[in-house]
Amino acid sequence: MASLDKKLYRGWHARAAGIVVGLGVALLVSMLGTLGILANERRQAVAVQALTADRLKQVVVELNQAFSRLEQSRLERCSEETLTHLRGLLLQYRYLRDVGIVDARDRILCTTSGGLLSEPTPLPTPTNVTRTGFRNWLNYSVGFGEGRVVVSLTARGNFMLMVDSHANTELMQHSGIDSIWMDSEGVSPGKASPVWRAPRVQETEPWAPLHSELGFSSQQQFWSRIDWRRGVLALESNVPGTGYFIQNKISLRELFRNNSRIFSGLVLLAFLTGGLAGGLAHQRARLLRTLPYRIADLCRPENIICMYQPIMELTTGRVAGCEVLMRLRDGGEVIYPDKVIPLILERSLGWQLDQAVSLRALRELADALPKNPVSTDARLFKVAINFFPENIRFEKLTALLTPIRPEGVSLNVEVTEYGMSDDLFEEVRCLREADYLISVDDFGTGYSNLGTVKCLSPDFLKIDKSFVFDMEDDSLRSSLIPEIVAIARAVNAELIAEGVENEQQANRLRDMGVQYGQGYFFARPLPIEEFMEFLAKATSGKSA
């Protein structure tokens, strides 16, 4: 049930990862696509505003030049001679179509197109007045033939100039801009006021330009902002050196309507990419949760569970030592060696695992064991640790084990019979000279002979548990135990029988000459706290 719950949890975890990644990718695609659409709208508006700003600046430049020349001419009285001179002046400008003279009350006295007026024509209140003294009348209607045209008038002092109606229409009504603002105070931020708005624009709360301090900047700059309350995107820019600002607005609803096909394609693309990314993330998450992808992380000391199985002296019942057995902790799951050893060998993680097990076990034992030897005689408490054959190298093991070797403990390096090789003999000899014990694990299951065992010269031979299991049936396999005893005596090694499960097996092994036993009859593999309790009880019982 626990294994099933673990699989269900991992399956849910993978699905959750797929959903989160899928939604994230879909959202990212949607955002990028929307930003692309906004960038395209901005690019189009920038092009329109740049062209409009260039033309508006040319008009302002012509107005400044013309007023300067008019003021220098001192022609302030209306006469035919004055009008002739003014008509010649107009020929030098592209956007100016009329020049007039006004009195102090802004009444037109004469114009180059209308000549001397019989009565002064009063002008309405100016649309705005600039710091430099310009009085502007925007969208001013004048008679022309049988109809009327809308023009822009600008006056400074006693002179008035009219901008070409075609330029005015092209500049404002047909340019594609929404409104024009002016910094009427020249350089004071926040004083911009609207001077023109396209007829199609209907708004009750006009926005003043955000950066009105840039009105007289020498370069055109663009900025944009979104009013989420109104649902409107605005792009604004200044007209360099003029105090004018240009503004374009588009509602987000209109933006969606104008790009409905693109948005539809974007939604489809977001759905497809999100689904694909979510599917891939789901598969990847499931793959990352599999043991082959996590095995390297699991082979760390913090993920190692060390179990300690007592090794008992068969004649006295004394606890002579223990063998360190490892498990891997994967969250709340415990993984046994038979499930991971093939994978560890395949991934060449043997040394990483050996290091992790040794560090964890010896640190736990150093903290738990008494500082003096457990045994009452001269022999030290023996701790057996298995190592992969390729890792049994004198320099590697001594560099690892010597700094963490607990006081009062004799370390027993176990070598499997399958791992014996010629180059191993010299490494084992150096380890024995450094006071490490050597055991041959699972003895009798391989093909070693007496000569091979003599070359290794181990301290212990461990009888494989398969021989012990067959003892009660008096099988051919169990009949080989006396032969193993003879080999041990020949090489001056002691014997440890593995897999002892009952008293009958323990007694028969003792009678055959086997010195030590290990198995469930004595104790199962125990965590460090339970092992220390077992050790304390066994020691106190022996003393009693």
Side-chain angles (χ1 to χ4, degrees):
M1 180 61 70
S3 177
L4 178 60
D5 290 343
K6 187 74 173 180
K7 291 180 180 178
L8 290 175
Y9 171 76
R10 289 176 179 172
W12 177 86
H13 182 275
R15 285 194 298 273
I19 292 172
V20 170
V21 171
L23 290 176
V25 170
L27 181 61
L28 179 61
V29 170
S30 300
M31 290 178 59
L32 291 176
T34 302
L35 289 175
I37 293 172
L38 292 175
N40 184 59
E41 289 288 334
R42 187 180 190 277
R43 186 165 50 250
Q44 294 179 16
V46 165
V48 169
Q49 291 191 11
L51 180 61
T52 302
D54 182 63
R55 292 174 178 172
L56 183 56
K57 184 177 180 181
Q58 292 180 34
V59 172
V60 173
V61 169
E62 288 194 359
L63 288 171
N64 284 322
Q65 291 177 351
F67 277 120
S68 296
R69 296 186 64 179
L70 288 170
E71 290 166 353
Q72 291 174 5
S73 68
R74 300 184 182 276
L75 299 173
E76 298 181 356
R77 296 182 60 185
C78 286
S79 65
E80 289 297 336
E81 181 181 358
T82 297
L83 293 175
T84 300
H85 181 81
L86 294 179
R87 291 185 184 101
L89 181 68
L90 282 178
L91 297 176
Q92 303 176 32
Y93 297 101
R94 176 182 178 183
Y95 295 106
L96 304 183
R97 288 297 175 264
D98 204 355
V99 182
I101 296 177
V102 297
D103 62 13
R105 291 187 291 173
D106 282 338
R107 295 184 303 173
I108 303 175
L109 303 177
C110 61
T111 66
T112 55
S113 61
L116 297 174
L117 302 182
S118 57
E119 293 183 6
T121 301
L123 290 171
T125 302
T127 307
N128 58 71
V129 179
T130 69
R131 177 178 61 85
T132 56
F134 283 1
R135 307 185 301 282
N136 296 300
W137 292 266
L138 302 176
N139 299 328
Y140 182 73
S141 177
V142 299
F144 185 79
E146 297 180 356
R148 304 187 69 82
V149 295
V150 176
V151 298
S152 294
L153 301 179
T154 299
R156 189 168 75 180
N158 292 331
F159 297 99
M160 179 200 70
L161 294 171
M162 177 193 298
V163 177
D164 187 349
S165 61
H166 295 289
N168 182 66
T169 301
E170 179 183 356
L171 184 64
M172 294 183 178
Q173 299 181 19
H174 295 167
S175 63
I177 63 174
D178 291 339
S179 58
I180 295 178
W181 295 65
M182 171 180 279
D183 184 358
S184 58
E185 296 294 329
V187 295
S188 299
K191 298 296 182 179
S193 57
V195 296
W196 177 84
R197 185 172 64 192
R200 67 179 182 279
V201 177
Q202 302 294 329
E203 58 180 352
T204 57
E205 301 178 41
W207 302 356
L210 186 62
H211 297 290
S212 58
E213 72 276 5
L214 298 175
F216 288 87
S217 173
S218 60
Q219 294 184 348
Q220 187 175 19
Q221 300 185 47
F222 301 87
W223 59 91
S224 57
R225 51 179 168 154
I226 295 180
D227 187 327
W228 295 107
R229 182 175 62 86
R230 295 185 177 97
V232 174
L233 168 69
L235 178 70
E236 302 168 339
S237 65
N238 64 310
V239 181
T242 65
Y244 285 100
F245 298 89
I246 302 173
Q247 194 175 70
N248 280 87
K249 295 179 182 178
I250 183 171
S251 69
L252 299 181
R253 182 179 300 177
E254 182 182 357
L255 179 68
F256 178 79
R257 185 170 59 249
N258 295 343
N259 299 275
S260 58
R261 292 186 178 180
I262 298 177
F263 274 112
S264 299
L266 182 60
V267 170
L268 179 60
L269 178 62
F271 177 79
L272 293 176
T273 54
L276 178 61
L280 292 175
H282 175 248
Q283 294 297 326
R284 182 65 176 174
R286 291 184 59 186
L287 194 61
L288 291 176
R289 293 299 302 171
T290 59
L291 191 58
Y293 276 84
R294 293 179 292 110
I295 189 63
D297 288 332
L298 295 179
C299 291
R300 295 179 178 178
E302 60 268 24
N303 295 320
I304 299 295
I305 300 175
C306 288
M307 309 293 284
Y308 306 87
Q309 188 169 31
I311 298 175
M312 310 297 293
E313 189 171 26
L314 296 179
T315 56
T316 65
R318 178 180 66 91
V319 182
C322 66
E323 180 181 3
V324 177
L325 303 172
M326 77 86 186
R327 315 282 188 262
L328 295 183
R329 180 187 292 108
D330 183 14
E333 183 181 2
V334 176
I335 305 176
Y336 285 80
D338 58 341
K339 188 176 179 181
V340 295
I341 292 300
L343 187 59
I344 289 172
L345 293 174
E346 178 185 330
R347 298 298 176 90
S348 300
L349 297 171
W351 178 240
Q352 181 177 332
L353 179 64
D354 283 347
Q355 284 182 297
V357 173
S358 301
L359 290 171
R360 182 82 183 206
L362 295 183
R363 285 172 180 169
E364 288 184 351
L365 289 170
D367 293 337
L369 288 174
K371 301 306 178 184
N372 296 321
V374 175
S375 303
T376 56
D377 55 24
R379 288 174 291 180
L380 298 179
F381 189 78
K382 303 174 182 63
V383 176
I385 302 178
N386 285 279
F387 290 92
F388 289 100
E390 63 271 16
N391 295 330
I392 300 178
R393 298 295 181 266
F394 172 73
E395 292 185 359
K396 289 176 65 173
L397 289 186
T398 52
L400 170 66
L401 300 175
T402 301
I404 57 175
R405 186 172 184 172
E407 183 181 349
V409 167
S410 181
L411 293 183
N412 187 355
V413 177
E414 293 196 355
V415 182
T416 60
E417 191 175 3
Y418 290 102
M420 290 187 186
S421 59
D422 293 340
D423 59 342
L424 186 65
F425 298 145
E426 179 61 23
E427 303 294 339
V428 167
R429 184 187 64 78
C430 294
L431 287 170
R432 294 195 69 203
E433 290 178 356
D435 293 329
Y436 287 90
L437 300 175
I438 302 298
S439 295
V440 177
D441 196 17
D442 301 331
F443 187 77
T445 59
Y447 300 96
S448 57
N449 52 38
L450 181 59
T452 303
V453 177
K454 281 185 176 181
C455 290
L456 193 65
S457 188
D459 298 282
F460 299 96
L461 296 180
K462 300 191 73 174
I463 302 174
D464 186 70
K465 60 185 178 181
S466 61
F467 292 94
V468 179
F469 290 162
D470 293 342
M471 285 181 62
E472 295 178 3
D473 298 330
D474 291 325
S475 65
L476 176 63
R477 191 175 186 83
S478 64
S479 66
L480 295 177
I481 294 179
E483 302 298 329
I484 297 176
V485 173
I487 293 176
R489 289 173 178 169
V491 297
N492 197 29
E494 293 185 297
L495 287 164
I496 302 173
E498 296 180 301
V500 180
E501 294 189 348
N502 55 56
E503 186 176 6
Q504 181 183 358
Q505 292 173 344
N507 292 336
R508 288 189 62 185
L509 289 167
R510 182 196 59 207
D511 294 342
M512 289 181 183
V514 177
Q515 292 85 4
Y516 303 98
Q518 175 184 348
Y520 276 36
F521 172 63
F522 307 108
R524 60 183 176 83
L526 302 169
I528 187 65
E529 296 83 4
E530 295 181 26
F531 175 71
M532 293 309 299
E533 292 177 4
F534 175 88
L535 189 59
K537 291 179 181 179
T539 303
S540 62
K542 182 175 179 296
S543 300

